[in-house]
Amino acid sequence: MGGLGRCLARGEYGRLRDCPLFESDFLQVTRSGDVASRVTVGIAATSPCLALPDLLLLARPARVPSGGPSHAPPARAQPEELELFGLLPLRFARLSLHSARHHQLQVRLASGRTFYLQLLAPPRRLEGLFARWLRLLYLLRCHGERRAPPPLRSPGPPPG
């Protein structure tokens, strides 16, 4: 279980606690590739009955509250805590390939906002993990195109 899965398992998110989840860490980058921030992205199915996922989750490293003992060494290395900051139905977000060479995805929201994500993984796992993301994007796109409503037809002359 990754950081986002642990965040959901804390119980604050009700039904999302046990949902199937595919997650990875990314760097949010500008279109030209400058790093803006780190983000964990998850794609989840809100019901085990769904053929494909239907939810996009975005999380960032939790802010450490000030005033605590920051100079005391931890007893043992703890996994980083995440805070969920975005939860969108996938019908309002379109994920696509931005740059295969740089392992980057593009996320375009229904509002028109677009952001870019560069996969963050150990070098030996990077290619395989990025291939999984591309496969997921392909499945989501194919499924989405099949579910798209038919185009509106202009009304013809009345029957008669």
Side-chain angles (χ1 to χ4, degrees):
M1 181 182 301
L4 186 54
R6 284 189 302 276
C7 177
L8 296 176
R10 286 193 302 242
E12 299 172 28
Y13 302 102
R15 291 182 44 201
L16 298 178
R17 185 180 358 200
D18 299 319
C19 67
L21 175 68
F22 181 62
E23 69 174 276
S24 293
D25 291 327
F26 287 85
L27 293 174
Q28 185 176 348
V29 296
T30 63
R31 186 179 179 106
S32 62
D34 297 327
V35 175
S37 62
R38 191 174 135 224
V39 63
T40 299
V41 177
I43 303 291
T46 55
S47 168
C49 301
L50 294 173
L52 287 173
D54 63 339
L55 196 61
L56 171 68
L57 300 118
L58 302 168
R60 63 179 156 238
R63 295 184 177 102
V64 177
S66 59
S70 59
H71 55 277
R76 67 172 202 212
Q78 301 255 342
E80 184 175 43
E81 292 289 320
L82 295 175
E83 61 183 6
L84 192 63
F85 73 89
L87 189 122
L88 298 159
L90 278 172
R91 69 177 180 262
F92 298 128
R94 181 181 172 108
L95 286 81
S96 59
L97 174 65
H98 178 64
S99 170
R101 185 171 142 226
H102 295 107
H103 305 99
Q104 293 175 344
L105 304 178
Q106 178 186 48
V107 181
R108 183 179 304 262
L109 305 178
S111 66
R113 180 170 182 255
T114 300
F115 57 97
Y116 303 91
L117 301 168
Q118 182 170 322
L119 186 61
L120 186 60
R124 70 183 193 293
R125 294 192 56 226
L126 191 60
E127 292 297 328
L129 188 55
F130 193 67
R132 287 187 197 162
W133 274 98
L134 293 180
R135 171 100 173 126
L136 178 59
L137 298 184
Y138 173 78
L139 291 172
L140 291 172
R141 177 165 292 168
C142 288
H143 182 68
E145 287 173 0
R146 276 186 266 145
R147 286 186 17 185
L152 295 174
R153 296 182 184 183
S154 60

